[in-house]
Amino acid sequence: MKRVFCAISIFLLAFCLRAEFKMFVDAGGICDASKNPLESGTAALLVGIQEGAFENFSLISGTELREGKIFGGFLVLAVAKVSDGKCALNADIELGGGEFLRGGNPFALLVSGGTSGSENKVKSGSKYLIFRNDSWVLSSENRGVFFYDAVSVSAGGKIEDSKLLANIDAEPSEEDLSGIRIEAQPRSVETYEGKKVEFSAAARDENGKKLIYAWEVDKLNGKGWVKAGSSKNVLKVSANLKSDGFKYRLKIQNEKNGNPVYTDEAVLTVRKNPKITQKPKSLTVFENGENSGFAVGADGYDVKYQWQEYVKAPNEKGKLVWVWQNIEGAVSPIFVPPNADYLSDSKKYRCMVYNGGKILYTSGVAFTVRQAAKIEGISASQNKENADFGNLYEEYDITLTAKAAGYKIKYQWQVLDENNVWTDVKKATKSTLKLSKPTVAEYGGKTYRCRVYNDGSSDYSNAAALQISPCLAPKSLKGRKLEVAFGGAEYLLAMSSASSGTMFDSENAEFAKASLSYKRLSPTKASMTLSFKHKNQDGILQKTVFSDKKFDFAVGELANAKIKLLPDENL
């Protein structure tokens, strides 16, 4: 019959009667006579151990096991003493004779295998839960372990011996594993992929024995602890993302095949290095416009950014050299350069992408500021001479000219229509607009302007209203009349042809025959020579000539004469 033993010790009772178990103990109802009728004596609430967890509980009272099942091992959580019908929980009772805890030596619960013979010697191959170095270890090695006052319980739940068994005292050997003392535990490490890290621990043997080290790793693949490959107390590991979360511990022995002591577990946390997933692209903007920004994308743990500008700065010798310089405050994935005036040369920027594991740089990208479209004004010319918008003439072509600057600018002339709406003039996309042989009826009073633009900006000129009049200088003087004044007298010249006419005095008497050489030069000027023969005051016939290569009809002075063109009677 398979035997199951429950080891009881004062140390174990103290360990198990902590506050966190008290509610559970009360729930067991040891002192509740209606649930668990007790006779005078003692009773112990036992909790089964199954793979290291507390499961189920049973009550031993007298010689009967009540409630639950036996799982092969028990921890005593509470002891009650019944006397005179009163139940005292956790009473101070004597669990048989014998010396307890023996100076702090390890103790154990026998969970399988049992004892043999009246001397209660433990069978070979038995397994124990051993409490050593403040932790429980399942082992089949019992050297140096003391077993205290146990009760023997059959698999069917009957106590075979209600009396406390004698101590099972296995004297510790010289090779007692309790001689190993861990002085420094390995520490968990956080690092980045590709880095090398170390785990280390320190231990000593109180008996001076040489310690045997073997690192173990739990790769979280369900295979548990396996060898990690180092026989020293220091383990070097190359970190990668697959090893994130791996656990490491050091197995320590003081003889081959001896009972091992294990350090605490140390966890390896591996962080991902940065990886650039989106590169910034060169950028062209227009001065004083809304700037677009550079953008960089990156993957990784706790990635940081620092934008840099390529500038000239003095080196250690004071010589100006090109260097990448950090831009203060530019530490986000998006960087918008400040508004800038037109630059003849492009600037260069790049981004440093980094974390604790690695530093990366993007390629340098250009930041080009183009000159915005800007118009200085528009002007008019006629007959290759500058003209005033309010003093233009018919017949001669009018040229409107826009003066502007900017990067790859384009032009569009516009006219204000009858609805007071600016409308593009068809095919008027150059810096000049030509109005051919204008007339008062067609162009008089019209208003023009020019739009100058490029891909990033636009500008408009002031509006210009055209005032057009007939030319002061007619194309021909045939059939026209002119007033001619000289020598204190005024005469009327009637042109019978383009080159000849008759002059009459104030009495409308014929004064002289005149010839005229005439060529119009501009809307207001002409090359003109007037000649005629007449008798002077002395009655002597003489020839008079008035000539001007640039006679201005607006002024009306031809040499020493004044000439005024009279309105055309045919109009």
Side-chain angles (χ1 to χ4, degrees):
M1 179 181 296
K2 184 177 180 180
R3 294 178 178 267
V4 179
F5 289 87
C6 176
I8 301 173
S9 71
I10 293 177
F11 186 87
L12 180 58
L13 288 175
F15 168 79
C16 295
L17 290 176
R18 293 177 299 175
E20 64 240 46
F21 292 119
K22 186 172 182 180
M23 185 177 294
F24 180 74
V25 169
D26 291 342
I30 295 178
C31 290
D32 188 343
S34 64
K35 293 182 179 180
N36 299 295
L38 299 176
E39 300 174 357
S40 295
T42 62
L45 177 64
L46 308 178
V47 175
I49 296 174
Q50 182 83 350
E51 297 182 356
F54 294 117
E55 297 183 10
N56 290 359
F57 63 91
S58 302
L59 182 66
I60 298 178
S61 175
T63 59
E64 247 178 74
L65 179 65
R66 304 182 183 183
E67 300 185 14
K69 298 179 181 179
I70 295 176
F71 284 86
F74 300 91
L75 288 177
V76 179
L77 291 185
V79 176
K81 183 176 183 181
V82 180
S83 178
D84 298 328
K86 295 181 180 180
C87 178
L89 189 63
N90 300 331
D92 181 17
I93 62 174
E94 182 179 351
L95 297 179
E99 182 182 1
F100 290 92
L101 297 181
R102 299 204 178 186
N105 285 314
F107 62 92
L109 299 179
L110 180 63
V111 297
S112 69
T115 60
S116 62
S118 58
E119 296 180 359
N120 296 319
K121 295 192 182 246
V122 180
K123 289 183 178 180
S124 176
S126 297
K127 290 187 179 294
Y128 318 91
L129 274 171
I130 304 174
F131 191 80
R132 177 190 288 119
N133 296 333
D134 297 327
S135 62
W136 289 96
V137 179
L138 183 64
S139 175
S140 59
E141 181 62 55
N142 70 318
R143 286 176 295 178
V145 177
F146 297 88
F147 300 90
Y148 298 106
D149 306 309
V151 291
S152 178
V153 184
S154 69
K158 293 291 184 178
I159 296 177
E160 294 189 350
D161 189 346
S162 60
K163 296 180 180 180
L164 295 174
L165 298 176
N167 291 340
I168 304 174
D169 190 353
E171 294 293 341
S173 66
E174 294 179 356
E175 300 168 347
D176 184 359
L177 288 180
S178 64
I180 299 175
R181 295 291 180 263
I182 296 175
E183 297 182 334
Q185 298 284 356
R187 295 183 178 182
S188 295
V189 176
E190 180 177 330
T191 188
Y192 289 84
E193 57 178 318
K195 300 286 187 179
K196 291 185 177 181
V197 298
E198 288 186 359
F199 294 100
S200 64
R204 64 181 176 83
D205 186 88
E206 292 184 338
N207 298 317
K209 293 183 179 181
K210 183 179 180 180
L211 297 178
I212 302 170
Y213 301 105
W215 284 93
E216 296 180 343
V217 58
D218 183 355
K219 298 182 178 181
L220 310 178
N221 55 7
K223 296 182 179 180
W225 293 97
V226 296
K227 291 182 179 180
S230 175
S231 58
K232 298 180 179 180
N233 67 323
V234 176
L235 175 66
K236 296 181 179 181
V237 176
S238 294
N240 56 66
L241 292 178
K242 292 182 178 179
S243 61
D244 180 38
F246 283 10
K247 299 176 182 179
Y248 294 86
R249 70 181 183 185
L250 181 59
K251 176 183 176 182
I252 308 172
Q253 296 170 289
N254 57 10
E255 66 174 16
K256 188 176 181 180
N257 299 324
N259 271 345
V261 172
Y262 295 92
T263 63
D264 294 343
E265 299 173 3
V267 179
L268 174 62
T269 301
V270 183
R271 303 302 188 186
K272 189 175 183 180
N273 287 336
K275 181 181 179 181
I276 297 174
T277 57
Q278 177 186 342
K279 299 178 181 179
K281 297 180 180 180
S282 293
L283 184 64
T284 299
V285 300
F286 288 86
E287 59 180 338
N288 302 320
E290 290 186 3
N291 287 358
S292 299
F294 294 108
V296 64
D299 186 22
Y301 175 78
D302 193 23
V303 176
K304 294 180 174 61
Y305 306 88
Q306 176 62 65
W307 288 91
Q308 299 176 327
E309 183 180 358
Y310 201 48
V311 298
K312 272 190 172 182
N315 61 13
E316 295 178 353
K317 297 181 180 180
K319 183 179 179 181
L320 289 177
V321 294
W322 286 99
V323 296
W324 287 104
Q325 189 174 79
N326 289 347
I327 302 171
E328 185 177 356
V331 292
S332 69
I334 295 177
F335 169 60
V336 179
N339 264 348
D341 293 330
Y342 166 66
L343 301 173
S344 57
D345 296 320
S346 297
K347 290 187 175 183
K348 286 186 177 180
Y349 296 98
R350 74 177 184 181
C351 188
M352 178 173 68
V353 182
Y354 65 100
N355 61 16
K358 201 170 186 179
I359 299 176
L360 301 175
Y361 296 93
T362 65
S363 299
V365 288
F367 176 66
T368 305
V369 180
R370 300 297 190 191
Q371 188 177 14
K374 186 175 182 180
I375 192 163
E376 296 179 14
I378 58 175
S379 61
S381 63
Q382 196 169 32
N383 194 38
K384 298 181 181 180
E385 293 181 354
N386 292 334
D388 187 353
F389 291 111
N391 195 23
L392 298 169
Y393 298 92
E394 292 183 310
E395 301 182 60
Y396 282 84
D397 292 347
I398 299 172
T399 300
L400 304 180
T401 301
K403 187 177 181 181
Y407 176 76
K408 291 185 177 181
I409 55 174
K410 300 175 184 179
Y411 300 86
Q412 178 60 62
W413 287 92
Q414 296 178 328
V415 62
L416 197 62
D417 65 15
E418 60 274 9
N419 296 317
N420 209 36
V421 175
W422 287 106
T423 305
D424 290 346
V425 178
K426 292 182 179 180
K427 298 182 180 180
T429 56
K430 295 182 179 180
S431 62
T432 59
L433 174 64
K434 184 179 180 180
L435 306 178
S436 299
K437 301 197 181 305
T439 63
V440 173
E442 184 178 5
Y443 293 106
K446 285 194 173 182
T447 302
Y448 290 86
R449 74 176 184 181
C450 186
R451 175 180 176 243
V452 183
Y453 65 98
N454 54 23
D455 291 340
S457 60
S458 64
D459 195 16
Y460 293 87
S461 71
N462 293 329
L466 307 185
Q467 300 297 325
I468 300 177
S469 306
C471 289
L472 295 180
K475 187 175 183 180
S476 172
L477 293 177
K478 181 180 179 179
R480 301 297 297 273
K481 294 179 179 180
L482 298 92
E483 287 183 354
V484 180
F486 67 94
E490 293 183 353
Y491 303 89
L492 177 66
L493 174 60
M495 297 295 296
S496 57
S497 69
S499 58
S500 62
T502 302
M503 295 180 68
F504 298 90
D505 60 17
S506 58
E507 300 297 330
N508 203 26
E510 184 176 327
F511 175 69
K513 296 291 184 183
S515 64
L516 185 66
S517 173
Y518 179 83
K519 182 181 181 180
R520 185 170 68 175
L521 301 177
S522 72
T524 62
K525 296 178 181 181
S527 173
M528 187 164 62
T529 300
L530 175 63
S531 65
F532 54 90
K533 291 180 179 180
H534 63 97
K535 290 181 179 180
N536 59 20
Q537 294 177 349
D538 299 328
I540 300 173
L541 187 67
Q542 67 179 35
K543 184 178 181 179
T544 299
V545 178
F546 299 108
S547 179
D548 191 341
K549 292 183 178 181
K550 292 185 178 180
F551 173 71
D552 190 342
F553 279 87
V555 178
E557 292 184 358
L558 182 66
N560 293 324
K562 287 191 175 184
I563 296 179
K564 180 180 179 181
L565 180 66
L566 298 179
D568 191 348
E569 295 176 353
N570 297 320
L571 295 178

